[in-house]
Amino acid sequence: MLTKRYLPLYIVFILFAYFVLFPSRPQPVSLNLQHPFSDTFTSPTNGKGGGFNWRDRKEDYPVASIIPLPTGSPKPIPKIQYDFGPENATRTAEIRSRRDAVQKAFDRSWEGYKNKAWMKDELLPISGGSRNTFGGWAATLVDSLDTLWIMGKKTDFEQAVANIKDIDFSTTEAEEINTFETTIRYLGGLLAAHDLTDGRYPALLDKALELGHLLYAAFDTPNRMPITRWHWQKVKEGKLQKSDTGILVAEIGSLSLEFTRLSQVSGDLKFYDAIQRIADKFEKTQPHTKLPGMWPVVINPTRDDFGDDAGFSLGAMADSVYEYLPKQYMLLGGVLDQPKKLYEAAIEIAKKELFFRPMVPDEADILISGNVRVSKDKITNDGQGQHLACFIGGMMGVASRIFDRPEDLSIARKLTDGCIWAYNAMPSGIMPETFNAIVCGNATSCHYDQHHPDNTLLHPGFAALSDKRYILRPEAIESILILYRVTGDENLRDHAWTMFQAIEHHTATRYGNTALNDVSKDTPPKIDRMESFWTAETLKYFYLVFSSPDLISLDQYVFNTEAHPFSRPS
C-alpha cells in the first residue's frame, strides 16, 4: 500500500510514463460530460437570434427582381459509383477493423472537444484548451454534426442539436466574418445534418436560415458581389458598403452549393439569386482573363476581365471555385448547363498548362497540379505541389462520369497517385502542405536524374519543401475515397489505410489529434491545433472509405468543400 510519503513520486512516474514513454499510444478517453444531453428539445424562437433581426433588414441596394431556381424535372445524370459485388469474408473483417480504428480516433477527438472545448470553435488537442477562430459559434460542433450521424452516434448528435439553440448567429464578438469559411463550415454543416435526418430536427433549418439572413447582408453592395472579409457591424450600424476590388477567387466563387441548397429546402429564392449573379459574372469573364478558361487567384469583381492578376492555380485560394462547378450541376439536377460549360472550359486549360509529370526516383507515371504565371511571351509552371490541390483527382473522377469524359479518369488517377507518392516519400509517411517538384519536360518518358541541380539529396524527387507542416488536411483521402467509389479499385483502400496509420501515429494526443510542424522528420514536432475539418472532413472520408459504398452514395449526395453531403434531386 502506498504511503503519503511516496504517493507524489508515484504520481510523477505515472505522468512521465504516459506523456513521455508512450506518447504515440494514446487511448480514447471518456470523461464526465459538462453538458449532458437532455431529452427535452428546445428549438430557437423564430430563427432570428437575440442580437439583430437580419431577416427583416432593409437593403441599401436591393435587386430589381429575383433570379429563380431552374425549373423542370431533373435530367438523367450518368451513374458515378462502380457496381460493387460481394466482398469476401476475410476482406470484410479487415476493412471493418480499419473502420473501427477510424471510429476510435473520432471518438477520442469528440470526447476531447466535449469536455475541454464545448461550444468553442476549436479544441487545443495537446493542452486541452480552446480557441475561437470562426465567429465563436461552436465551429467544431456544427461542422461535425453530419459525421456524428453517419457514424451512428445519435445520442451525441442529439446532444449537439439541443445545444445549437444557444448559438446566436445574429451577432459575434469577431470584428470580421470570413464569409466563405462561415458558409462552408456552418451553413454547410447545418444543411447537411438537415438533409441526412430528413428534416426531423427543425432547429437545423431554423439556424441555417438565421445564419443565411446574416450572410445575405454581405451581398448588399452596388454590384451585388459579396464582401468576403466582412466587417458586419458597419452594416448593422446602417453604413453603406461596396465589394472589394481584390478578392480571392475561391472565397467569392465557392458559395453556390450552400446558398442553392438553402433556397431549395427553405423556398426563399433570394439565396440562390445571390450566388447565381456571381456565376453569371464568372461566365462573362471566363474568356477574357490572362489565361482564358480559368480565373486568376485574385480577382477584381468590378471589372469584366476580373483584373490584372496573372497567377492561376487549382490549389490554395482558387481550388473550390472549380470543384463546385460539377457539384452545382448535380445539385440542380442537370437542368442548368452553365456549370458544365464553365468546368469543361477550365479543365482543358488546367490539363494543358497546370498538370505536370514530376521527376521521381521510381519514374512513376504520376501527375501534380502546379501554379502558373502568365507573362506577355510565356506561361511558367512553378512546379509546386499542394496538399490542398489533392482534391483535383476526385473532382475529375466525378466529372469524368457525369459529363461523359472517360479520358479524364486516367488523369484523375495519376493526380491522386501523385499525392499518394508525396505521402510515401516523406520520412513520417505524411505529405507536407506545399513542396516543389522537378517538372519533366516529357510527360510520356521521364528519366530520373539524381544529379539534377534541383534535386535534393535528402528528399529525392523534391526540389524544395516550402511548407513542411501537416494540419490534418483531408484532400488526399477525399480523392482516394471518390476514386475508390468510381473505379472499385481495392488498392486505394490499402493506400488509405497506410495514410491513416501514419497520421494517427504522429498526430494523436490525449484529447484528439494535432497538427504537425515538420513532416520531413521521422518524429514531427506537434502544433497545438485541431481545426474543425479534422472531424468534419478527414475522419469522415477515412470512415467512408472503409464503409459500405452505399453509405452516402455519390449518386444520392453531393459533398460541399467541407465534406457536408447535400441530397441530390431524384
Side-chain angles (χ1 to χ4, degrees):
M1 183 175 179
L2 290 171
T3 65
K4 291 183 179 179
R5 178 181 177 184
Y6 294 106
L7 181 59
L9 293 175
Y10 178 78
I11 293 174
V12 169
F13 174 78
I14 293 299
L15 292 174
F16 176 83
Y18 185 85
F19 289 105
V20 179
L21 297 181
F22 310 110
S24 63
R25 300 181 185 179
Q27 298 297 319
V29 296
S30 180
L31 307 175
N32 293 327
L33 292 181
Q34 298 169 357
H35 300 266
F37 169 63
S38 171
D39 289 325
T40 303
F41 176 74
T42 305
S43 61
T45 304
N46 297 325
K48 295 181 181 179
F52 185 76
N53 185 357
W54 293 95
R55 181 186 64 188
D56 297 332
R57 171 187 169 271
K58 184 178 179 181
E59 287 200 294
D60 296 307
Y61 305 101
V63 298
S65 60
I66 294 289
I67 300 173
L69 283 163
T71 58
S73 300
K75 291 183 178 179
I77 296 177
K79 189 174 182 291
I80 296 173
Q81 294 212 156
Y82 179 79
D83 289 322
F84 290 90
E87 194 172 61
N88 70 65
T90 302
R91 181 64 167 173
T92 298
E94 180 182 49
I95 293 299
R96 184 180 294 117
S97 69
R98 294 175 177 181
R99 187 185 68 180
D100 290 344
V102 176
Q103 177 83 68
K104 289 180 181 178
F106 178 86
D107 288 346
R108 184 181 61 248
S109 295
W110 184 247
E111 289 293 312
Y113 174 73
K114 283 195 300 183
N115 293 281
K116 295 295 183 179
W118 188 248
M119 301 303 288
K120 302 296 184 181
D121 285 348
E122 292 179 9
L123 166 72
L124 300 179
I126 297 175
S127 62
S130 63
R131 60 184 290 173
N132 285 331
T133 47
F134 295 107
W137 294 313
T140 294
L141 184 151
V142 178
D143 225 359
S144 305
L145 285 170
D146 50 11
T147 309
L148 290 167
W149 187 264
I150 289 168
M151 291 186 177
K153 299 176 70 66
K154 185 177 180 181
T155 298
D156 284 285
F157 175 85
E158 291 186 332
Q159 178 198 2
V161 171
N163 279 270
I164 282 178
K165 70 181 186 297
D166 296 326
I167 302 174
D168 183 1
F169 284 117
S170 72
T171 187
T172 173
E173 294 181 359
E175 294 183 1
E176 180 183 273
I177 293 175
N178 186 315
T179 305
F180 165 71
E181 295 287 357
T182 302
T183 297
I184 65 170
R185 299 188 194 221
Y186 289 107
L187 188 55
L190 292 165
L191 290 170
H194 170 81
D195 276 0
L196 288 175
T197 58
D198 297 321
R200 295 196 296 273
Y201 300 86
L204 296 170
L205 183 54
D206 287 343
K207 284 296 178 180
L209 278 167
E210 180 184 311
L211 178 57
H213 292 309
L214 166 69
L215 292 171
Y216 186 74
F219 290 76
D220 189 11
T221 63
N223 65 355
R224 301 303 300 184
M225 295 294 106
I227 301 172
T228 57
R229 304 297 175 100
W230 182 40
H231 291 272
W232 62 280
Q233 290 180 340
K234 293 181 180 180
V235 181
K236 182 180 175 181
E237 295 166 359
K239 297 179 181 178
L240 298 178
Q241 60 184 5
K242 60 181 180 180
S243 61
D244 297 324
T245 56
I247 298 177
L248 297 178
V249 68
E251 293 191 348
I252 191 174
S254 309
L255 310 172
S256 54
L257 290 185
E258 297 81 6
F259 276 66
T260 296
R261 190 62 188 147
L262 186 56
S263 281
Q264 288 176 333
V265 298
S266 72
D268 191 336
L269 299 181
K270 74 178 185 182
F271 302 109
Y272 177 74
D273 171 270
I275 57 89
Q276 188 53 41
R277 293 175 187 274
I278 298 174
D280 291 342
K281 182 76 171 179
F282 271 69
E283 182 178 32
K284 183 179 180 180
T285 59
Q286 190 177 35
H288 305 296
T289 66
K290 293 185 181 297
L291 187 64
M294 295 186 69
W295 301 279
V297 171
V298 179
I299 65 171
N300 181 348
T302 67
R303 288 178 45 170
D304 290 340
D305 61 355
F306 270 172
D308 296 323
D309 185 29
F312 296 81
S313 176
L314 288 179
M317 302 175 289
D319 46 6
S320 47
V321 68
Y322 301 96
E323 172 192 354
Y324 270 27
L325 295 173
K327 291 182 174 183
Q328 180 75 344
Y329 180 84
M330 290 188 286
L331 189 60
L332 292 173
V335 297
L336 183 66
D337 206 40
Q338 182 189 59
K340 178 177 183 288
K341 291 180 179 179
L342 297 181
Y343 172 82
E344 292 189 321
I347 204 64
E348 287 302 315
I349 298 301
K351 286 160 59 176
K352 179 181 178 183
E353 304 292 353
L354 271 67
F355 301 164
F356 68 91
R357 182 174 176 176
M359 187 186 75
V360 295
D362 63 356
E363 302 185 5
D365 188 8
I366 58 177
L367 292 174
I368 291 173
S369 181
N371 314 306
V372 301
R373 181 152 291 276
V374 180
S375 61
K376 289 183 179 180
D377 56 346
K378 63 178 180 179
I379 298 173
T380 304
N381 192 314
D382 65 1
Q384 186 185 75
Q386 300 182 31
H387 200 292
L388 275 166
C390 285
F391 84 95
I392 303 170
M395 174 188 73
M396 292 189 70
V398 168
S400 74
R401 291 287 193 247
I402 66 171
F403 296 149
D404 191 23
R405 299 172 59 90
E407 70 280 2
D408 283 357
L409 185 55
S410 63
I411 298 174
R413 180 56 190 265
K414 290 179 182 181
L415 286 163
T416 302
D417 285 341
C419 294
I420 294 170
W421 169 81
Y423 267 79
N424 293 336
M426 285 290 100
S428 63
I430 302 174
M431 179 182 179
E433 270 284 284
T434 62
F435 63 89
N436 284 82
I438 302 168
V439 180
C440 287
N442 188 339
T444 58
S445 177
C446 185
H447 176 67
Y448 179 71
D449 179 6
Q450 65 175 344
H451 302 296
H452 191 285
D454 293 331
N455 194 16
T456 59
L457 297 179
L458 184 60
H459 305 293
F462 292 90
L465 299 178
S466 44
D467 188 344
K468 301 176 183 179
R469 295 175 303 150
Y470 172 67
I471 60 172
L472 306 176
R473 285 206 184 278
E475 293 80 17
I477 183 57
E478 173 186 355
S479 283
I480 287 176
L481 166 67
I482 292 173
L483 284 187
Y484 169 67
R485 293 285 189 88
V486 171
T487 67
D489 185 350
E490 285 290 324
N491 290 323
L492 289 166
R493 283 173 134 180
D494 294 330
H495 288 305
W497 179 238
T498 300
M499 288 168 50
F500 176 77
Q501 287 180 296
I503 292 170
E504 174 69 0
H505 175 75
H506 290 298
T507 69
T509 70
R510 182 183 182 188
Y511 300 117
N513 290 72
T514 195
L516 303 173
N517 193 49
D518 185 354
V519 298
S520 70
K521 297 182 180 298
D522 291 325
T523 304
K526 293 179 171 66
I527 308 170
D528 196 8
R529 185 79 190 271
M530 188 181 87
E531 285 213 44
S532 65
F533 54 64
W534 168 246
T535 50
E537 296 188 75
T538 310
L539 288 176
K540 182 187 295 161
Y541 286 137
F542 273 117
Y543 185 85
L544 289 175
V545 82
F546 300 129
S547 298
S548 168
D550 294 333
L551 182 60
I552 316 297
S553 168
L554 300 180
D555 293 309
Q556 296 175 331
Y557 293 93
V558 56
F559 287 106
N560 87 332
T561 196
E562 193 76 3
H564 295 309
F566 300 158
S567 296
R568 290 176 51 182
S570 57

